Amino acid sequence: GEDVEQSLFLSVREGDSSVINCTYTDSSSTYLYWYKQEPGAGLQLLTYIFSNMDMKQDQRLTVLLNKKDKHLSLRIADTQTGDSAIYFCAGRASGGYNKLIFGAGTRLAVHP
Amino acid sequence: EAGVAQSPRYKIIEKRQSVAFWCNPISGHATLYWYQQILGQGPKLLIQFQNNGVVDDSQLPKDRFSAERLKGVDSTLKIQPAKLEDSAVYLCASSLGGLEGDTQYFGPGTRLTVL
């Protein structure tokens, strides 16, 4: 089945770029997702990428997909304190009805 | 458009007690999901409904957990009896359909503490 792994913690200075990395095992995942979770809140979909794409840009967010290495990354340009949160990478489980498999999440801390 | 609603937001119980959580999905969404998120981990799917039928409950501990979605709208998730390891945030999500790529919208979750 699908397995998703992420680094657990990232600290950046305000204004710098943040890069959060994720690796996944199931190459049949057609969609790969990035969700954001702020303290005490549910998950908010940030962006997703279709497996036939290498890159997707959405304002300050850039998603890169390396299918050969099964590696996904999320780059946040000009990181702000409001970006401090936990970021989850998720892939679709093979054979599931839109069942998502989440990584453990990367906690992003933005300091002045 | 109103989001996914959940209640209660917090619940503290003792082990072996029972507890129930309620979820109201986004209007018109046919698919409803319950996830369990243990501290420090990503959400794990417990059960998925398509309208009022179950399409995936492979990771639901059926000896103690049950869920229903009457009339294909609201849903309740019950734990009976609760164990210490059930302490987690229970997230409800909904999507328009159950097809791959349908965006899942999450509620704020219910934080359960079992003492």
Side-chain angles (χ1 to χ4, degrees):
Chain A
E2 176 75 285
D3 190 24
V4 178
E5 293 192 359
Q6 300 178 237
S7 52
L8 295 182
F9 187 75
L10 177 66
S11 178
V12 300
R13 191 188 304 268
E14 191 173 13
D16 287 351
S17 292
S18 308
V19 180
I20 302 171
N21 295 300
C22 168
T23 57
Y24 60 96
T25 56
D26 191 341
S27 58
S28 67
S29 287
T30 313
Y31 289 86
L32 293 154
Y33 302 85
W34 284 103
Y35 280 84
K36 176 184 180 182
Q37 186 176 38
E38 296 182 82
L43 276 71
Q44 172 197 354
L45 179 65
L46 282 180
T47 187
Y48 65 90
I49 189 166
F50 193 57
S51 62
N52 69 353
M53 299 168 67
D54 297 324
M55 185 181 85
K56 180 179 180 181
Q57 188 153 1
D58 185 359
Q59 299 183 332
R60 292 191 298 123
L61 305 178
T62 303
V63 179
L64 295 178
L65 175 59
N66 181 328
K67 289 185 286 294
K68 175 175 170 289
D69 294 337
K70 297 180 185 174
H71 182 266
L72 183 72
S73 68
L74 174 70
R75 178 177 179 270
I76 305 173
D78 187 25
T79 312
Q80 302 298 308
T81 54
D83 295 323
S84 294
I86 302 176
Y87 291 80
F88 292 93
C89 168
R92 175 183 170 269
S94 58
Y97 293 84
N98 203 26
K99 173 180 178 177
L100 296 180
I101 304 296
F102 287 84
T106 299
R107 181 177 294 276
L108 174 64
V110 183
H111 55 88
Chain B
E1 180 183 80
V4 176
Q6 291 188 247
S7 68
R9 291 296 312 277
Y10 305 92
K11 190 73 177 179
I12 300 173
I13 61 172
E14 294 188 348
K15 61 183 179 184
R16 291 188 289 273
Q17 286 188 321
S18 302
V19 65
F21 313 126
W22 173 83
C23 173
N24 180 237
I26 293 173
S27 177
H29 279 195
T31 309
L32 185 146
Y33 314 77
W34 283 102
Y35 288 86
Q36 179 192 56
Q37 185 178 17
I38 293 172
L39 186 65
Q41 298 180 18
K44 179 184 80 173
L45 181 71
L46 292 176
I47 190 167
Q48 178 178 346
F49 291 94
Q50 185 73 17
N51 296 306
N52 60 349
V54 175
V55 296
D56 188 340
D57 63 356
S58 57
Q59 297 194 88
L60 186 75
K62 299 179 185 65
D63 58 333
R64 298 184 299 106
F65 285 65
S66 64
E68 60 182 8
R69 190 183 184 198
L70 299 175
K71 300 181 182 177
V73 183
D74 292 6
S75 178
T76 56
L77 176 69
K78 296 179 182 177
I79 308 175
Q80 180 179 2
K83 292 185 175 182
L84 296 177
E85 59 260 36
D86 298 331
S87 293
V89 176
Y90 290 85
L91 296 164
C92 179
S94 70
S95 65
L96 199 58
L99 299 177
E100 183 180 16
D102 280 347
T103 298
Q104 295 186 28
Y105 296 89
F106 284 80
T110 296
R111 182 177 297 277
L112 173 67
T113 302
V114 183
L115 302 175

